[in-house]
């Protein structure tokens, strides 16, 4: 006699599903626990304050108020420097590129040293807004760049704390105010 052939398989026993369901439950539970202990600043939120720093080889002057620190860009908080190509006039009426002068002044203040910045917020272009200082080196102590640039006369104060420095620079004829120079056209109504 020939054995009977079965066309249909018997239904799996309920125990066969326990293994995969148990593994799926363990994976979901583990993911939940990891998620609870994970970072709280996801999806574009950032901490209110960050410390950014770069060594001398990683610091580049973008313009009179902006630095590139390796792969990050920071704008000096509380001041407004002229853009490159922005024309100022000296007391004789001759035009000069006060934006380039401001960038050169910032470069001189850096003096080939590294920079440390306390970044709080971002500007309308997404740059970090920072209070920056040069790192102390063997030849010089650290210098606060925001105030030094305003004090040297190469930027206008947007912050009340820097207003006195701007007034002193104007009175002494430093930077943009040297030899009776006037502010760039775009600033005429502000200051």
């Amino acid at each position: 006699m020939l054995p009977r052939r079965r066309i249909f398989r018997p239904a799996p026993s309920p125990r066969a599903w326990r293994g995969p369901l148990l593994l799926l439950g363990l994976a979901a539970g583990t993911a939940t626990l990891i998620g609870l202990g994970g970072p709280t600043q996801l999806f574009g939120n950032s901490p209110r304050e960050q410390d950014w720093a770069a060594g001398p080889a990683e610091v580049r002057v973008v313009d009179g108020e902006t630095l590139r620190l390796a792969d990050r860009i920071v704008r000096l908080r509380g001041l407004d420097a002229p853009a490159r190509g922005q024309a100022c006039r000296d007391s004789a009426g001759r035009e000069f590129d006060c934006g380039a002068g401001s960038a050169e002044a910032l470069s001189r203040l850096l003096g080939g040293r590294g920079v440390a910045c306390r970044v709080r917020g971002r500007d309308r272009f997404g740059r970090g807004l920072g209070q920056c200082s040069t790192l102390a080196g063997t030849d010089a102590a650290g210098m606060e760049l925001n105030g030094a640039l305003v004090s040297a006369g190469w930027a206008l104060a947007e912050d009340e704390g820097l207003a006195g420095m701007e007034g002193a620079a104007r009175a002494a004829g430093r930077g943009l105010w040297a030899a009776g120079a006037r502010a760039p056209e775009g600033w005429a109504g502000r200051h």
Side-chain angles (χ1 to χ4, degrees):
M1 187 182 237
L2 292 173
R4 286 177 123 188
R5 290 180 62 197
R6 289 191 174 183
I7 298 175
F8 299 104
R9 288 188 186 157
S13 71
R15 292 182 188 170
W17 288 98
R18 282 186 187 171
L21 285 177
L22 183 61
L23 287 176
L24 184 62
L26 284 172
T30 302
T32 301
L33 288 176
I34 290 172
L36 291 175
T40 59
Q41 302 291 334
L42 295 177
F43 307 115
N45 291 335
S46 62
R48 294 181 194 268
E49 290 187 7
Q50 296 177 336
D51 290 324
W52 294 357
E58 300 173 314
V59 178
R60 299 285 181 267
V61 173
V62 176
D63 59 31
E65 63 187 26
T66 311
L67 297 172
R68 176 179 287 278
L69 308 180
D71 61 341
R72 297 175 169 172
I73 296 179
V74 62
R75 179 180 177 267
L76 300 178
R77 177 185 283 282
L79 58 90
D80 186 18
R84 288 185 189 265
Q86 195 162 14
C88 292
R89 294 191 185 279
D90 64 13
S91 59
R94 295 181 301 248
E95 284 191 358
F96 67 97
D97 184 351
C98 50
S102 182
E104 289 172 20
L106 181 56
S107 185
R108 281 192 306 271
L109 290 170
L110 284 169
R113 291 177 280 179
V115 174
C117 298
R118 171 62 57 129
V119 176
R120 286 187 213 116
R122 304 229 177 238
D123 70 1
R124 62 187 175 140
F125 300 111
R127 301 176 294 190
L129 291 170
Q131 190 74 31
C132 299
S133 299
T134 59
L135 298 175
T138 56
D139 60 338
M143 174 191 341
E144 195 272 316
L145 292 171
N146 304 49
L149 194 63
V150 171
S151 189
W154 288 104
L156 299 176
E158 289 184 333
D159 186 350
E160 298 274 333
L162 299 175
M165 293 177 189
E166 180 187 332
R170 284 179 186 241
R174 292 189 296 263
L176 296 169
W177 321 115
R182 294 182 303 276
E185 294 298 317
W187 291 350
R190 283 191 19 205
H191 292 275

